[in-house]
Amino acid sequence: MTLTATKFTPEVMLSAPRRSPGVPNPAGTLALYSVSTYSFHDHKKTAQIRILDIASGDSQSLVEEAGASEPVWLSDDEVIYLKSGGSGSTTLIVQRVGSPEAPAYEAGSIKGPISNLKVKKLADGTVALACSALATRDGHLVNPATEKKAHSSAKVYTTLFVRHWDAWNTQNSSSIFYGALEKKDGQYSLSGDALTNALAGTPLSSPVPPFGGTGDFDIGPEGLVFVAKDPELNDAMYTKTDLYFVPLKTFTESAPAAPRIIKTPGLEGYSNSPVFSSCGRKVAFTRMRSNQYESDKPRLLVVPDINNPDAVEEFYTTPDGEGGWDARPESILWSHDDATLYVTAEDHGRTLIFQLPSTPSDAGTSLPTPIATPDGSVSTFHLLPATDGNDTLFVTTTSLVDNSCYSTTHPHANTYTVISSASKHGRSFGLSRASVSSITFPATSSDGGYDVHALVVRPSTFSPGSGKKYPLCMLIHGGPQGAWLDAWSTRWNPAVFAEQGYVVVCPNPTGSTGYGMALQDGITGDWGGRPYRDLEACWEWVVGGNMPEVDADRAVALGASYGGFMINWIQGQPLGRKFKALACHDGVYSTLNQWTTEELFFPIHDFEGTIEENRAAYEKWDPARFIDQWATPQLIIHSELDYRLPITEGLAAFNVLQAKKVPSKLLVFPDENHWVLKHENSLVWHREVLGWINKYSGVEDEQQLVEQAKELTLE
C-alpha cells in the first residue's frame, strides 16, 4: 500500500486500496486476492489480481486488466478468473503463477454474464465448476446485452413480490450452473464448451437475492448443495429457504437429477452457509426456526451422509427448542480430519472464530470456544495444510483502524501470526488502536437487568488528562437487528468522524446482535421503547462524569435505516433537544408506511402482525406522531433506488422540517440504493454530512481557526 496520510479524511478512506479476503492455494504457500483503487483525480477505478507469499508477506501483481474478476485457485500455481467481454459474454481465463513465459489462455466462453465462481478438484483430476447466472423461466441463460428490447417500459404484476432491494422483479431468476474443466496437453478447457443449469425444470432460485453469493452453495465429490426460497410461499411474506442436494458424479451430466430437499422439522426459516466436509460425504449448515423473522437465531446442523438427506442432526438442542448456544453462527469450515468445525459468530462487537466437535453427540452441552485472532473482526477463513497433525487457518480480518489484515491462526496453540496489513495496522491512515476502546453502562432502572455495550473512537490527537474537550458524536446503527462491530467500513466509519475532532460513541442497544437473543429480541414490538431508553442511558452515562473529555453541549447524532428511524424518533422526544444537530440517512418517517417496503415479513415480525392485524403497534412507534416537537437542525439523506425505504420517507421528513422552519437540508442520490456505493457519491455524502454536523457542533469554527493559524505562521 503506497498511500500514507497525515490525517484520515473521507478522500483518504475512499481512495485507499481495497483488498478482497485472501484465499490460500492448496499447498498453503501463496494467497490469492484482488485489490481495487479509485482516483478522484482521474475519476476512475483500477483493479489488480495479486499473489501474496504467505511466508514472507510479499506480493506481486498477477493480472491487471479491465473486466477481470473473481479469481480462484485451480492448483498450487494455476488461477482461473472471469473476464467480461463484448455482447455480455464471459470468458474463463487461466493464468499460471510465477511463469511469465506461459501466457494466459481461454478455458471456455459463456454467452452471458456469470458470477460467484467456485471450483473443486475431483478424484479423476477434472475440476468441477459452479457459478450463478440469471436464467429464464425455461432455464436458459439470460444475456441482457442480447435480449430483445421491449417497446414499452410498463410493468404489470398480479402477485407480490414486485420489486426487491433496488430492482423491479422480472420472470428471470438466479440459478446455479455447473460444468467440468478437463486438462489436455497441459491446458484446461470447459467440457462441451457449455454450462448446465442445475435448477432447470424446477421453480427454485439460488443464490437467494439480494445478497446471496458463493455462501449459498457448495461443490463436493457427490454433487452440489444449495439453498433456495420455498416456491410454495410468497417471497415477500416469508423467509423460508431450504437446503437441497443435486447428485452429480462427473459434472458433465446434461440432465441432472431433481434436487432433493434436506428436511429439518421444527426449523422453517432461512437456511445458510452449506459446506461439504473434507471427505465430501457430510454437510454442515445453519437454519433459523421462524419463517417470518430474517434475524432469528441460526441453528448449527450437520448431515452425516449427504446420500441420506433425511438424517439431519442439530447441535445444542434443548427441550424448549431455544437451543443451548446463545450465539448466531455464520460461516463454517471443516477441519482436515472432519473432527472439528470452525464457525464464525458475533460476540460483543467482534466477529470471532469458534471451534467445536463436528458431531452433536461429541459436542454435547460444552459450548464452542473462541480462538485467537487479530484485533477486529473475521471476514473469511480457510484451511492451510496441517502442521504436525494440527490445523492452521488463513484468516482475513478488518478492524476500526485497519482495512485489511491477513494472518495465520493456530487453534491448537490459540495463537496467531500476522502476515500482512494493507494499512500497516492503521498507521498509513494516521490511526492506531490507542484510539479505540469500549464502554459498558447499565440500562435504565425501569428496564434493569442488563448492561449495554458501546464502541468508542477518539481522535488520534487525543491526549488523556490534557483537559481538552471534544463534542460527542453518537452513531446509531441500522438493522435494527445489527451491531457496530470492531470492523472496517467505507460507508459508516467512526474514525472519519473522530478525525474531524469528535469523541465517537457507537452504542449497541436493545435489538443489537452479538449479545444474546434476549437483548436482540427485546426490540420486537418495542421499536421506540427499550432501544430509545438505552440510548438515553448511554447519554447520561457519557455526560455524567464518566467521560470528562466529552463536550455534551456540542453533541450530534446520526443514523441510517433503523438508525434513521431512531433519529426521527429522537427528534420528537426529550433526547432530541440535547443534540445540536441530527443526520438521518434512508430513515423511517412514519411506521404506518412500512408496507411500502418490499420484504413484508420484516414489519410483520417486528410489529407483531400485519398493519390490519395490529395497527396500534405501527401507530405507537410512529415518529410522525411527534412532529410537533421537531426542532433540532436535521440533514435528510435518501436514495431513489432504496425500495426498502422509499424516497417518500425522506421527502416527508424534509417537508415537515421545512414547513416548521427548522434548519434542514435534503441530499438525494437518484442512482443509489439503501447504501451509497459509488465513490464520487460517497465523497459528496461525507462532505455534506461532515459539513452539517461540523457547522452546528462548532468543529467548523475550530477548523477555520487552525487554518488561520497556519496562514499566520506562513506569513
Side-chain angles (χ1 to χ4, degrees):
M1 182 172 182
T2 57
L3 172 72
T4 299
T6 56
K7 183 177 180 180
F8 188 56
T9 65
E11 291 88 342
V12 169
M13 177 185 69
L14 295 171
S15 60
R18 303 183 186 184
R19 297 198 310 193
S20 71
V23 181
N25 64 357
T29 56
L30 304 172
L32 181 64
Y33 68 98
S34 58
V35 60
S36 64
T37 306
Y38 190 83
S39 168
F40 286 104
H41 179 267
D42 299 324
H43 304 288
K44 67 178 183 180
K45 183 173 73 172
T46 57
Q48 290 182 331
I49 297 172
R50 298 186 66 85
I51 300 293
L52 175 80
D53 184 287
I54 292 178
S56 68
D58 296 331
S59 70
Q60 62 180 0
S61 176
L62 180 67
V63 178
E64 187 171 358
E65 59 179 315
S69 65
E70 301 196 30
V72 295
W73 291 104
L74 283 174
S75 64
D76 284 333
D77 62 355
E78 293 169 297
V79 172
I80 188 169
Y81 62 91
L82 305 180
K83 183 180 179 181
S84 55
S87 302
S89 64
T90 305
T91 305
L92 301 170
I93 304 292
V94 176
Q95 174 75 62
R96 185 177 292 277
V97 177
S99 300
E101 71 282 358
Y105 64 88
E106 293 186 11
S109 183
I110 311 301
K111 296 180 180 178
I114 62 174
S115 59
N116 297 313
L117 181 65
K118 268 191 172 182
V119 298
K120 171 76 174 179
K121 181 163 282 190
L122 303 178
D124 63 359
T126 63
V127 175
L129 175 151
C131 62
S132 68
L134 278 180
T136 61
R137 296 185 70 179
D138 58 4
H140 292 114
L141 181 72
V142 172
N143 186 347
T146 59
E147 275 191 319
K148 184 179 179 180
K149 301 299 185 290
H151 295 293
S152 169
S153 61
K155 298 174 177 64
V156 180
Y157 299 89
T158 57
T159 62
L160 288 173
F161 220 19
V162 300
R163 60 185 190 177
H164 197 193
W165 193 249
D166 59 5
W168 290 86
N169 286 333
T170 70
Q171 293 186 341
N172 299 332
S173 62
S174 182
S175 200
I176 298 172
F177 289 77
Y178 67 84
L181 294 168
E182 300 174 334
K183 199 168 191 179
K184 295 179 181 178
D185 300 324
Q187 292 192 345
Y188 285 99
S189 62
L190 181 63
S191 177
D193 201 31
L195 298 175
T196 301
N197 186 348
L199 312 187
T202 76
L204 302 175
S205 175
S206 184
V208 179
F211 306 120
T214 55
D216 279 7
F217 65 95
D218 199 24
I219 307 172
E222 303 286 340
L224 291 169
V225 288
F226 64 91
V227 297
K229 278 290 193 82
D230 186 336
E232 300 299 319
L233 298 177
N234 191 283
D235 288 359
M237 302 288 284
Y238 296 94
T239 59
K240 185 171 184 277
T241 60
D242 294 299
L243 180 65
Y244 294 87
F245 170 55
V246 177
L248 295 167
K249 293 297 183 184
T250 66
F251 284 80
T252 60
E253 292 91 338
S254 59
R260 300 168 61 183
I261 193 170
I262 311 297
K263 297 179 181 179
T264 58
L267 302 178
E268 300 293 328
Y270 275 128
S271 299
N272 279 306
S273 307
V275 58
F276 277 102
S277 61
S278 298
C279 72
R281 294 190 305 273
K282 307 173 185 179
V283 173
F285 65 107
T286 67
R287 183 146 202 189
M288 298 178 184
R289 181 168 57 176
S290 171
N291 64 8
Q292 284 191 315
Y293 185 17
E294 65 176 355
S295 300
D296 198 6
K297 181 173 73 173
R299 316 303 176 90
L300 187 61
L301 302 106
V302 65
V303 184
D305 183 355
I306 193 59
N307 291 302
N308 182 19
D310 292 332
V312 180
E313 300 176 3
E314 181 182 347
F315 290 81
Y316 305 115
T317 58
T318 55
D320 62 4
E322 295 298 324
W325 188 24
D326 198 21
R328 299 172 48 83
E330 297 173 356
S331 302
I332 306 169
L333 184 68
W334 292 80
S335 63
H336 282 293
D337 61 5
D338 288 338
T340 301
L341 291 180
Y342 302 104
V343 181
T344 59
E346 288 182 22
D347 184 73
H348 288 76
R350 297 181 64 194
T351 300
L352 303 176
I353 301 174
F354 294 79
Q355 62 179 340
L356 67 152
S358 64
T359 62
S361 59
D362 289 340
T365 59
S366 299
L367 298 182
T369 55
I371 62 177
T373 52
D375 290 329
S377 294
V378 174
S379 301
T380 65
F381 57 122
H382 301 269
L383 274 177
L384 291 172
T387 303
D388 298 326
N390 295 309
D391 289 334
T392 301
L393 308 181
F394 183 90
V395 180
T396 300
T397 56
T398 72
S399 75
L400 284 167
V401 299
D402 193 357
N403 63 344
S404 174
C405 180
Y406 301 146
S407 65
T408 54
T409 294
H410 316 286
H412 65 286
N414 203 31
T415 60
Y416 65 84
T417 304
V418 173
I419 300 169
S420 168
S421 166
S423 61
K424 299 178 182 176
H425 306 289
R427 291 192 299 274
S428 296
F429 299 135
L431 304 176
S432 76
R433 289 299 299 181
S435 297
V436 179
S437 62
S438 65
I439 58 174
T440 302
F441 52 90
T444 59
S445 57
S446 60
D447 293 313
Y450 64 94
D451 291 333
V452 182
H453 178 247
L455 295 170
V456 177
V457 182
R458 295 177 174 84
S460 58
T461 56
F462 174 73
S463 177
S466 67
K468 179 176 172 59
K469 286 185 174 289
Y470 303 83
L472 168 67
C473 175
M474 182 182 288
L475 300 183
I476 306 172
H477 70 68
Q481 295 86 5
W484 292 115
L485 298 177
D486 188 352
W488 189 259
S489 173
T490 54
R491 294 195 302 272
W492 284 87
N493 192 312
V496 164
F497 296 91
E499 291 304 280
Q500 292 290 306
Y502 296 91
V503 170
V504 183
V505 177
C506 306
N508 283 328
T510 296
S512 300
T513 53
Y515 302 89
M517 293 303 294
L519 186 77
Q520 177 187 311
D521 291 344
I523 197 173
T524 303
D526 201 20
W527 264 35
R530 271 180 54 182
Y532 171 74
R533 294 192 294 274
D534 289 347
L535 296 177
E536 283 188 310
C538 180
W539 170 274
E540 296 299 334
W541 193 92
V542 169
V543 306
N546 294 292
M547 297 178 67
E549 73 274 20
V550 167
D551 185 349
D553 293 333
R554 297 193 291 149
V556 297
L558 307 89
S561 193
Y562 171 80
F565 158 86
M566 185 53 73
I567 290 295
N568 289 336
W569 182 260
I570 284 172
Q571 261 285 23
Q573 307 299 321
L575 186 56
R577 306 292 75 80
K578 298 178 181 180
F579 293 105
K580 289 297 183 183
L582 302 170
C584 170
H585 175 106
D586 285 11
V588 176
Y589 166 71
S590 173
T591 47
L592 292 175
N593 297 335
Q594 281 290 282
W595 276 59
T596 60
T597 193
E598 12 83 285
E599 293 180 341
L600 295 173
F601 52 74
F602 175 70
I604 288 173
H605 175 271
D606 274 26
F607 292 93
E608 300 180 299
T610 67
I611 196 167
E612 179 182 3
E613 295 165 341
N614 196 12
R615 184 182 181 90
Y618 291 80
E619 291 178 338
K620 183 177 182 179
W621 307 119
D622 187 357
R625 284 179 56 210
F626 303 97
I627 57 175
D628 61 312
Q629 300 297 313
W630 286 25
T632 302
Q634 182 167 329
L635 170 65
I636 302 288
I637 311 156
H638 225 99
S639 299
E640 292 194 41
L641 295 182
D642 185 356
Y643 298 157
R644 201 168 185 85
L645 284 165
I647 182 73
T648 48
E649 294 294 282
L651 291 172
F654 177 68
N655 290 347
V656 166
L657 290 162
Q658 286 284 300
K660 291 173 65 64
K661 296 185 170 26
V662 176
S664 49
K665 194 173 189 178
L666 175 67
L667 172 61
V668 175
F669 294 101
D671 56 345
E672 298 282 5
N673 56 31
H674 200 54
W675 301 321
V676 176
L677 301 176
K678 297 177 172 64
H679 288 79
E680 300 284 353
N681 286 344
S682 185
L683 183 58
V684 171
W685 186 97
H686 281 88
R687 286 175 173 172
E688 291 291 340
V689 168
L690 296 177
W692 182 260
I693 61 173
N694 290 353
K695 173 183 176 181
Y696 289 97
S697 67
V699 167
E700 181 180 78
D701 296 335
E702 292 178 346
Q703 292 174 342
Q704 289 177 351
L705 289 174
V706 170
E707 293 302 318
Q708 290 171 3
K710 288 180 180 178
E711 292 175 2
L712 290 173
T713 301
L714 290 174
E715 291 175 358

